[in-house]
Amino acid sequence: MKNSLLLLFLFGLSFSALAQEEDLELWGSLKFSKKVSKIAKFEIEEQVRWSDSISLFKKSFTNLSFEYKLHKRHALTINLRHTENADNEKFARLGLDLQSDLKLYKKILTFSQRIRVQKSWDEYNYLDKSYFRAKWGLAWKITFVSPYLDQEFFWDAQNIQEIDKQRTTFGLAINISPQFRMKFFARKQRELNRKSPDQVTVIGFGSHYKF
C-alpha cells in the first residue's frame, strides 16, 4: 500500500513536469510552529522559489502567522509576509484566512476549505495587489502518510475584478514524528480569462517542525 502511494505520487510529479507549456519552478520551504494554548498557535515560514526551468532565483519570503481556533472545525488566521524578489524589490503582504474542515469516511478522509483576503504593498507603500482567494481540498490520512488534492481560485479585487488564476495541487505529507513533518507536491498554475495565458508547473517540498 505504501509503495503504491509513493509510485502514484512520483507518477503524478513526472506527468506534471512533462506536461508543462511555459515554465517549471521549484519551491522549497521550512516552517516552525508553536502552540501557545489549545486554541492558538504561532508559525514562521521561510520559502525560496526558483523559476526559468529551476535555473534562476525568483523570490524568497518570510511569513509570520497567528491562528486562533473559533471551533474545533473552524479557525481564523492572520498572516504577515515580507518578500524580496530577484531584482531586490521588497513587498509586504497582509492576509486574513477563515479555514474549516470536515471529517469524512471513518475520519480518515478530510474535506477542507479556506477563504483568504490579502493585500500587498511595495517598498514605497503603494498598493501592489489585492486578492480574494478560495481554496478547497481533500486529504486522506493513513497512519504516517497523507495524500492530498487541492484546488484554488484567485479573484483580482484591484484591477480587472475577475477570477484570473487557478491552482491545482497534488501532494503527499509524511509524518516523520509527532514533531516533524515533510511534504512533497506538484502544482499546475494557470491564468484565466486571457488570450495567451501563462502556465507554470511547480515542484515543491517543505519541512515543518512543531515545538
Side-chain angles (χ1 to χ4, degrees), residues 7 23 88 96 116 124 136 146 151 155 183 186-187 191:
L7 288 173
D23 193 15
N88 293 319
L96 182 65
R116 169 177 290 177
Y124 304 106
W136 58 89
S146 298
Q151 186 78 245
W155 175 281
K183 68 175 181 179
R187 172 173 292 160
E191 292 183 329

Side-chain angles (χ1 to χ4, degrees), residues 1-202:
M1 181 64 177
K2 296 176 183 176
N3 291 334
S4 299
L5 288 172
L6 181 59
L7 288 173
L8 178 62
F9 175 72
L10 292 175
F11 174 78
L13 198 64
S14 302
F15 176 80
S16 296
L18 291 172
Q20 63 168 324
E21 294 183 12
E22 290 295 329
D23 193 15
L24 176 65
E25 296 189 3
L26 176 66
W27 297 3
S29 66
L30 178 62
K31 181 190 293 186
F32 299 92
S33 65
K34 172 65 176 177
K35 278 193 172 184
V36 293
S37 72
K38 292 183 179 180
I39 59 174
K41 71 176 178 180
F42 284 100
E43 289 187 347
I44 180 170
E45 179 183 4
E46 292 281 345
Q47 187 177 115
V48 182
R49 299 180 181 180
W50 294 268
S51 62
D52 197 14
S53 297
I54 321 180
S55 63
L56 296 175
F57 168 74
K58 181 180 181 180
K59 68 172 71 172
S60 64
F61 68 74
T62 301
N63 194 85
L64 298 173
S65 64
F66 174 73
E67 179 187 290
Y68 182 80
K69 283 277 188 181
L70 302 172
H71 183 268
K72 63 180 180 179
R73 293 177 180 168
H74 309 289
L76 191 66
T77 305
I78 299 174
N79 303 280
L80 181 60
R81 176 178 295 186
H82 173 78
T83 302
E84 184 169 348
N85 63 22
D87 297 322
N88 293 319
E89 296 174 320
K90 299 177 177 62
F91 300 89
R93 193 182 85 180
L94 182 64
L96 182 65
D97 300 349
L98 179 60
Q99 305 160 82
S100 301
D101 64 69
L102 178 63
K103 304 292 184 182
L104 305 170
Y105 187 64
K106 300 180 181 179
K107 297 186 178 181
I108 64 171
L109 189 65
T110 302
F111 172 75
S112 61
Q113 55 187 341
R114 184 190 73 189
I115 296 173
R116 169 177 290 177
V117 179
Q118 69 179 51
K119 292 181 180 290
S120 59
W121 295 264
D122 63 18
E123 54 191 312
Y124 304 106
N125 293 323
Y126 288 107
L127 184 65
D128 179 55
K129 294 177 182 177
S130 179
Y131 273 106
F132 175 84
R133 296 164 59 173
K135 177 180 179 180
W136 58 89
L138 286 171
W140 185 19
K141 298 184 181 297
I142 314 168
T143 315
F144 76 102
V145 177
S146 298
Y148 63 90
L149 180 66
D150 291 335
Q151 186 78 245
E152 185 171 22
F153 290 90
F154 292 65
W155 175 281
D156 187 338
Q158 180 186 2
N159 299 314
I160 56 177
Q161 296 188 345
E162 66 180 13
I163 297 175
D164 72 342
K165 191 191 309 182
Q166 176 195 13
R167 281 179 179 173
T168 302
T169 305
F170 172 66
L172 195 65
I174 304 173
N175 295 311
I176 308 298
S177 73
Q179 292 78 34
F180 179 46
R181 188 181 193 189
M182 294 193 70
K183 68 175 181 179
F184 302 90
F185 64 87
R187 172 173 292 160
K188 290 293 291 184
Q189 178 175 293
R190 64 190 182 99
E191 292 183 329
L192 302 177
N193 300 311
R194 300 288 188 277
K195 291 183 178 179
S196 301
D198 288 336
Q199 299 191 56
V200 177
T201 297
V202 177

